[in-house]
Amino acid sequence: VQQIEVNTSQAKAQAYPTLLKQAQALCQGETNLIANLANMAALLHQTFGWHWVGFYLVQHTELVLGPFQGPVACTRIAYGKGVCGTAWEQAKTQLVPNVHKFPGHIACSSLSQSELVVPIIKNNEVIAVLDADSDAINHFDAEDQQGLEVLCQFLAGLF
Ligand code: SME
């Protein structure tokens, strides 16, 4: 009997390329943004089981809650506020190992301990952010960051 050793890193290394293919297949032929983002939130939640995962969409001076999976969340976040607003302001991914140490963190759910927020950029402008929250400290790593950044490049094309 052949034994296959699977550690977390190997499993994750395979998870992200598979996820991207599934995302492309799910969105193929569908032009409705909300329908596509809703399936993306479900796909991410099903794949990784994160506490909360979803989108905030840029609308004027605020981020407005979009499709997500998980507990109810804040509906609006101002530019530069919290982890999501910072990702928007800096147009840069925010990998936060411990949200309690992030100045101005917005606690939508008291269970959230670590976060990964990736901006979705189109024509050099942030148009939305993808927010992944875990109920474990230090849950996300550079591999998650890279995987979600690649996914977000694809998602930009849906807008
Ligand atoms: N934690 C985020 C707010 C969004 S919720 O956690 C779903 C933030 O500080 O930007």
Side-chain angles (χ1 to χ4, degrees):
V1 180
Q2 203 192 348
Q3 265 211 322
I4 302 168
E5 230 179 74
V6 180
N7 64 36
T8 317
S9 178
Q10 278 174 328
K12 247 192 327 202
Q14 287 177 348
Y16 280 104
T18 303
L19 181 87
L20 181 64
K21 281 192 195 126
Q22 288 172 319
Q24 287 166 335
L26 279 165
C27 298
Q28 195 171 18
E30 177 52 65
T31 55
N32 185 276
L33 178 64
I34 299 302
N36 283 331
L37 294 184
N39 261 345
M40 294 303 98
L43 177 66
L44 285 161
H45 195 254
Q46 269 183 318
T47 303
F48 297 109
W50 295 326
H51 174 66
W52 195 96
V53 61
F55 299 92
Y56 280 92
L57 311 180
V58 171
Q59 241 174 54
H60 310 293
T61 58
E62 291 176 316
L63 290 168
V64 180
L65 184 63
F68 70 95
Q69 297 269 314
V72 294
C74 329
T75 53
R76 289 170 191 268
I77 297 172
Y79 183 73
K81 297 290 176 201
V83 185
C84 292
T86 302
W88 177 18
E89 185 177 38
Q90 297 183 5
K92 265 199 188 144
T93 298
Q94 305 294 309
L95 178 54
V96 182
N98 182 347
V99 295
H100 306 293
K101 292 186 178 163
F102 189 96
H105 168 251
I106 302 162
C108 288
S109 159
S110 60
L111 290 174
S112 278
Q113 303 291 328
S114 55
E115 287 194 22
L116 179 57
V117 179
V118 180
I120 299 176
I121 298 171
K122 190 172 186 176
N123 301 327
N124 289 318
E125 290 218 2
V126 177
I127 46 176
V129 301
L130 169 56
D131 179 2
D133 300 347
S134 170
D135 56 9
I137 292 271
N138 206 11
H139 181 86
F140 302 99
D141 62 17
E143 207 164 5
D144 295 302
Q145 176 171 349
Q146 216 242 330
L148 289 191
E149 284 176 349
V150 172
L151 179 71
C152 283
Q153 283 169 20
F154 163 68
L155 297 181
L158 300 175
F159 283 73

